[in-house]
Amino acid sequence: EKNEIDAYLSKKQPEDVHSKTIQFISLGTLHDNFFVNKNSEYLNKTFSKDDVLTIYTLSNISSTSKNIKNAIKENGLKNISIKNNTYNTILEELQCNDIIAYITEEYIQKELNEGKIKKIDLEIDVLNEVDYGIYYNVNNKIKNVKKIFEIEV
């Protein structure tokens, strides 16, 4: 909005985040889900609305964090707390400790394929499919910026 950034790659944000000068080109879909390590006590647990849990997720400004916070509020879950951290810290914690993480599945595909991390269902109705793509400024100084970023996926 201040014409400082030409373009950036991001998950799609709510429409009210950007002005009319910021446009979005979708490149595909990412999936946010709940994960634990392969030895977690949570793997075979049946979850209830009254469970006291801490969920690790990304920083407050990420769409992943916003989605889980909205889901907790909308589902009336009073006993779930959120611990925000960086992706690297969450991945390290996830592999070393028995935590629940709500992160993007495509980012941890290697660890999932190796069986180090497992997906779980907390039975929380949360938006877990998010568009990602390129945001660009229509007032960009580069000519034909839209044409540069319009690619077939």
Side-chain angles (χ1 to χ4, degrees):
E1 292 173 341
K2 295 177 183 178
N3 293 320
E4 294 172 346
I5 299 173
D6 297 324
Y8 63 96
L9 184 65
S10 175
K11 289 183 180 176
K12 190 169 186 181
Q13 301 296 316
E15 295 301 324
D16 63 346
V17 171
H18 299 286
S19 69
K20 292 179 182 172
T21 62
I22 307 298
Q23 300 293 315
F24 180 77
I25 299 171
S26 179
L27 297 176
T29 305
L30 295 174
H31 302 86
D32 294 335
N33 282 300
F34 297 100
F35 299 95
V36 296
N37 70 44
K38 67 180 180 182
N39 299 316
S40 176
E41 67 179 47
Y42 299 113
L43 277 172
N44 299 312
K45 182 173 175 25
T46 303
F47 294 94
S48 75
K49 195 173 187 172
D50 298 323
D51 285 338
V52 176
L53 299 171
T54 298
I55 298 173
Y56 287 64
T57 193
L58 301 174
S59 69
N60 284 325
I61 62 170
S62 76
S63 60
T64 302
S65 179
K66 289 175 185 175
N67 288 339
I68 188 62
K69 286 179 182 177
N70 287 340
I72 289 168
K73 184 178 179 182
E74 289 173 8
N75 287 281
L77 303 171
K78 306 278 186 213
N79 299 325
I80 295 181
S81 61
I82 298 294
K83 186 166 185 174
N84 298 101
N85 227 315
T86 65
Y87 165 76
N88 287 337
T89 301
I90 292 171
L91 184 58
E92 186 176 321
E93 286 284 327
L94 188 56
Q95 292 182 75
C96 299
N97 298 308
D98 197 7
I99 68 164
I100 298 173
Y102 184 72
I103 55 177
T104 305
E105 185 170 339
E106 286 79 3
Y107 297 170
I108 58 168
Q109 201 59 57
K110 177 183 173 217
E111 291 81 1
L112 285 168
N113 291 343
E114 293 172 350
K116 294 177 182 177
I117 296 175
K118 304 284 185 180
K119 188 186 316 187
I120 62 168
D121 184 4
L122 285 185
E123 298 184 21
I124 296 175
D125 186 23
V126 61
L127 175 68
N128 68 353
E129 192 171 280
V130 182
D131 280 342
Y132 73 95
I134 298 169
Y135 280 99
Y136 69 96
N137 188 328
V138 297
N139 296 325
N140 188 293
K141 295 173 186 142
I142 301 171
K143 292 183 180 187
N144 299 319
V145 69
K146 186 174 181 184
K147 216 173 197 56
I148 292 170
F149 293 116
E150 284 184 336
I151 56 177
E152 296 212 16
V153 289

